[in-house]
Structure formats: C-alpha cells, structure tokens
Amino acid sequence: MAAHQDRITLEPGKRGGKPCVRGLRITVQDVLDWLAAGMSEADILSDYPELVLEDIRAVLAYAADRERHAAWVRVAA
C-alpha cells in the first residue's frame, strides 16, 4: 500500500474535489505550494497545527506517485 493512501482523501464536495489531507480543507496543492515557496516542514506545522509531519510526507508521496504515472504528450508545432 502506498504511504499516502490513508492520509490523502478525495471528496467531491470539498475544495472542488481536489485531493486533501485527511479530509481537512488543506489540499495537496496547498502543501506543495507552501514547500515550493520556501516554507519548511516546521513552518507549516507551526502555522497549521492540525497537520502532522506524516501528512506532509504523505503529500510528497502522493505527488511523487502522480508524477510517476503522468503521461506526457508532445504537441505538434
């Protein structure tokens, strides 16, 4: 079982159906954006106490899994 399967949830009525952390209103994209903006894991956990370190790791595992299964299509120029 993938590391993220018990922490990343999909609910059609929540945040537009985007993948969220444990049913919270915090999306995978939110966490990735914070990390990309330079926030550390400690910063995120401090600002969002409802999250735990395992949630951030699950977001990264989910993103890696999605990337692993992504298909790239070259558009004719």
Side-chain angles (χ1 to χ4, degrees):
M1 172 157 67
H4 59 76
Q5 286 183 333
D6 59 341
R7 293 193 175 267
I8 306 301
T9 58
L10 294 165
E11 298 177 47
K14 189 174 284 181
R15 295 293 305 265
K18 292 181 179 182
C20 293
V21 178
R22 290 186 294 112
L24 302 171
R25 297 190 61 78
I26 298 173
T27 66
V28 166
Q29 183 177 349
D30 292 333
V31 177
L32 292 174
D33 286 344
W34 298 331
L35 291 168
M39 287 181 78
S40 69
E41 292 173 340
D43 293 336
I44 294 169
L45 297 175
S46 175
D47 287 354
Y48 300 91
E50 61 270 42
L51 295 176
V52 295
L53 183 59
E54 291 79 10
D55 295 329
I56 296 173
R57 301 286 164 82
V59 163
L60 293 171
Y62 179 85
D65 192 46
R66 293 285 305 252
E67 181 63 20
R68 188 175 302 109
H69 294 100
W72 293 92
V73 178
R74 182 179 297 267
V75 177

